[in-house]
Amino acid sequence: MPRATVSNATRPAEIVVVENVVKRFGAFTALNDVTLKVDKGEKIVLCGPSGSGKSTLIRCINHIEKHDAGRIIVDGVELTNRIADINSVRCEVGMVFQSFNLFPHLTVAENCMLAPIRVRGISQSEARDRALGLLRKVRIQDQAGKYPAQLSGGQQQRVAIARALCMQPKIMLFDEPTSALDPEMVKEVLETMVELAKEGMTMVCVTHEMGFAREVADRVVFMDRGSIIEEAEPETFFKAPRTERAKAFLNQIIH
Amino acid sequence: MNALDFSIVAQSWPYLWSGLLFSLSLTAAAFAIGMILGTCLALAQHFEIPVVAQIIRGYVAIIRSIPLILVLFWFFFLVPIVLGHLSGNGRPIPIGATYTAFITFGLFEAAYYSEIIRVGLRAVNKGQFEACQALALSTYDTYRHIVLPQVLRVASPIILSQTIILFQDTSLVYVLSLTDLLGAASKLAQLNGRLVEMYLVIAVAYLVISSATSQCVAILRKRYAVAAAR
Amino acid sequence: MFGVLFEQTADGQRYIDWLLSGLGWTLALAFFGWWIAFGIGVIVGVGRTVQNRVFAIPARLYVEIFRNIPVLVQMFLWYFVFPEVVPSAIGDAIKQIPPPWASFFPALLCLGLYTASRIAEQVRAGIEALPKGQLEAANALGLSSYLTYRHVIVPQALRLIVPSLTSEVMGIYKNTSVALTIGLMELTAQARQISEATFQTFTAFGAATVVYLCLALIAYQAMALIDRAVRIPGSAPATLPADQDLASEVQQGGLPHVMEAAK
C-alpha cells in the first residue's frame, strides 16, 4: 500500500503537523484556521475554556473528527479520507478519553490485547506479555482478569492508558483524562502520565491540571473560540499570560 | 411458468376492495374495544383490586402466551356457549364467524393494550400523583385528567405499532373462512386459478398500508420527541 | 378431563400421540426458524447501522418488506407463489417434495425470514443505544469497521437486547401455528383435529393451551438464564433507553405475573 508520504513538508523532528485546519459542526466553527506543530518527544498541554475547540483539535489528529479544510500530517502520513492512511495513523497514535471508553464486555487484559492482536497481528502470548507488562507499569497488574465495571474510575483510566500503550504508539493524545474522575483518583492517573512523559513519549494533553502542565509540559497552548490564542512555556504562560482571555481563563481555573 | 396477468386483479377489484374494508373495520373495531377494555384491565391491575387483578393477570398471561389462531378457535367454540349461558336457556347460540372475529380480536387486543398501558402507568412520575393530591383532586379526576392523558401520550407510538401488527393479524380470520382482504384474494384465486397474481397484489397492498402507517408513526414519534425535548 | 387424550384413534395411535407429533413440528419449526432468524437478523440489523449505502439500503428494504406483510400472506407467498415464479425446473423440483416437508420448508423459510426482520430492528436498537465512546475508542485503536463490529459493537448490543429477544422467541413459537394454513400438522392443527374427531373441543384446545403455556414459561426462563449468563460482571443489568425499554417490556409475555400470582 503506497503511503501518502509528505515528508518534504515536515522537518524530521515534527511528528504532528496541523496546518490551517478548519472544522465546522453545522453553522458552528469549532476550529478556525488552527496551526500546531509537535516535535518528537515534545509534551504539549492544550487548555482553554469549554467549547474552545481543544478536544476537537486532538480528535482531529487521529481522525475521530474529520477536518473540513487544512492539512493534518501525522508521522509523515497526511490524513485524507483513505481508510488505509487513517488506520495506519491510528496505530501510531494512542488516545485516552475523558470517559475511559473501555470495552465493558472484555476483561482488563482483553481490552489491552484486542487491538495488538487484530490490528498489529502479534501473537496471543506476545500480546498477553505486553499487556501484563504495561498493566504492571500502570500498577494495576493484579486486576488483569477483572472487568472494567469492577474497577474504580482511576483504575479504569489507567487501564485505558495501558490499552493505548499496548499498540506501542509514537504519540499519545489525552482528552481531559482526569475530568470524569473523583478528586482522590486524579493523582494516580496524573502520576502515570508524568512517568510516561519522563520516558520521552510525545504527548498532547487536553487538561486543566496546571500542576501537571508545570511539571511536564514543554509548551502550553491556550485556545479560545476555535483558535490558538497563545503558546508559551508553562512558567511564562502561568506567570505572565500575554492575552486578556488567557488571564481571565487562568483566573477562573485557579479559583 | 405462465406469464403473469394482472388484468384479472383489475376485474376483481370491487371484491378485493370489500375485503380490504372488512380488514380495516375489524382493525378499527378491535382497536376501539381493545383500548377501552385494555385501559380498564390495566387500571384494575394498577389499583390491585383483589381477585379481579389476579384473574386479569392470568387472562393476559394466557392470551399472550398462546397463538392468535388458537385464541380464534377457542372463541369460535366458547362464545356461543357463553352467550347461551348468559341468555339463560343454556343452549349455545351460534353467532357466526364475523361476530366471533370482532369479539375475539377485541378481547385479544385488550390483553396487549392493557399491558402497554399498565407499563405506562407505572412509568408516570410519582410527583404527578403528589401534585394531584396537593390540589385535592379526586382519584377519578386524577386519572381521567392527569394520569391517563400522560400515559396515552407516552405510549402512543407503541400503541400505534401494536395496531399495525393488529391490522396484519386480522389476516388470520382466514382460518374462520371470512372474507377479509386475504380471504377475498384466496377465494378469487381458487375461482380463477390466478394464485400468483392475487397473492402478490395483496402482499403489496398490505406492505403499502403497513409501511405507510409505520412511516407516519415514525414521523409522529420524532415530532413528539422534539416537542418533549423543548 | 384429559382422559380422552389417552383413547385410541382410528389409526391405532392415541390422541396424545397426535398432540405430541404436533408439538414436535412446532418445536422443530420454532427452533430451526430461530437460528435462521437470528443469523439473518444480526446481519441485517448491523446493515441498518452502517454508513455504507450498499449495505444500509438493502437492509432497510429487507426490514420494511418482511415486517410489513402479514405472516400468513408471507406463508402463502412461499408455499403457493414461490414455486411458480422461479424457473420451472426449480419450481417442479419444489413441487416434488413429499407432504410434511412440502409444508415444513416454506413455513421454516417464512418464519425465519419474518422473525429476522423483527430481530434486525432489535439489533439496530441495541447498537444505537451503545455509547458513542465505544466506537471512538475502537477507531482510536485502529480497529477496522469489521473488527469494531465483530469484537466491540455486536457483542455488547446482543447483551443489551437479550430481554427484548425474549418476546421474539415467544413470537416465533406462537407464529408456528400459522403453518397450519399450508397444511403442516403442528400443535394447533392437531388440537383442532382431535376436537373434530372426538367432539371434546374443550379438552383438545385445553391441552394445546397448556402445552403453549409451558413453552412460554420455558422460553421465558431460558432467556432469563441467558441474560444472567452473559451479563458482564460488575455491571448493572443492561438497559435500553426508556422508550425502547417500555416497548420491550410490553412485548414480553405476561408470564412473570403468572409466577407472581403463584407465589
Side-chain angles (χ1 to χ4, degrees), chain B residues 1-2 4 45 54 57-58 60-70 73-74 77-78 112 115-120 122-123 154-155 157-158 162 164-165 167-169 171-175 182 186 195-197 199-200 202-204 206-208 210-212 214-215 221, chain C residues 60 64-73 76-77 80-81 84-88 114 118 170 173-181 188-189 191-192 200-203 205-210 212-213 216 243-247 249-255 257-258 260-261:
Chain B
M1 172 183 153
N2 300 322
L4 294 182
Q45 289 182 73
Q54 271 79 24
R57 270 182 201 144
V60 172
I62 291 174
I63 288 291
R64 300 183 60 191
S65 299
I66 67 176
L68 178 50
I69 292 187
L70 186 57
F73 287 164
W74 261 124
F77 162 67
L78 282 181
Y112 280 81
E115 206 63 356
I116 296 171
I117 293 164
R118 189 181 64 80
V119 176
R122 238 175 28 194
V154 172
I158 308 168
Q162 177 61 34
I164 295 170
I165 297 174
F167 169 65
Q168 296 184 23
D169 279 347
S171 64
L172 291 174
V173 296
Y174 172 87
V175 300
L182 175 63
S186 136
L195 286 173
V196 175
E197 290 88 341
Y199 288 143
L200 281 177
I202 60 150
V204 171
Y206 276 112
L207 175 62
V208 168
S210 302
S211 187
S214 31
Q215 296 305 325
R221 192 181 200 140
Chain C
R60 172 94 200 262
E64 283 297 319
I65 290 173
F66 284 93
R67 218 172 49 144
N68 284 319
I69 298 177
V71 191
L72 178 51
V73 175
F76 283 2
L77 290 180
F80 294 115
V81 176
E84 303 294 336
V85 295
V86 292
S88 54
Y114 168 77
R118 302 188 50 91
M170 300 186 49
Y173 87 75
K174 283 190 280 181
N175 279 329
T176 55
S177 65
V178 178
L180 72 84
T181 58
T188 301
R192 183 170 61 167
Q200 300 286 324
T201 307
F202 202 85
T203 303
F205 291 169
T209 300
V210 169
Y212 278 119
L213 284 174
D243 81 350
Q244 278 153 2
D245 198 39
L246 179 63
E249 199 169 339
V250 161
Q251 282 160 12
Q252 287 163 40
L255 275 162
H257 309 305
V258 176
E260 275 169 25

Side-chain angles (χ1 to χ4, degrees), chain C residues 27-74:
Chain C
L27 288 178
L29 209 47
F31 181 81
F32 293 111
W34 173 258
W35 290 111
I36 295 174
F38 188 73
I40 297 175
V42 170
I43 294 167
V44 175
V46 166
R48 291 278 274 127
T49 64
V50 299
Q51 299 286 320
N52 191 334
R53 280 156 180 255
V54 179
F55 297 106
I57 290 173
R60 172 94 200 262
L61 276 178
Y62 180 94
V63 171
E64 283 297 319
I65 290 173
F66 284 93
R67 218 172 49 144
N68 284 319
I69 298 177
V71 191
L72 178 51
V73 175
Q74 291 190 40

Side-chain angles (χ1 to χ4, degrees), chain A residues 8 33 45 72 110 119 157 165 170 209 213 248:
Chain A
N8 54 342
D33 195 23
V45 164
I72 298 177
E110 286 165 349
V119 181
Q157 194 59 298
L165 291 175
K170 294 182 178 157
E209 295 294 336

Side-chain angles (χ1 to χ4, degrees), chain C residues 210-235:
Chain C
V210 169
V211 175
Y212 278 119
L213 284 174
C214 291
L215 290 184
L217 204 64
I218 292 167
Y220 186 84
Q221 292 291 352
M223 292 305 279
L225 213 65
I226 291 171
D227 193 31
R228 274 196 294 275
V230 300
R231 183 163 301 163
I232 301 160
S235 65

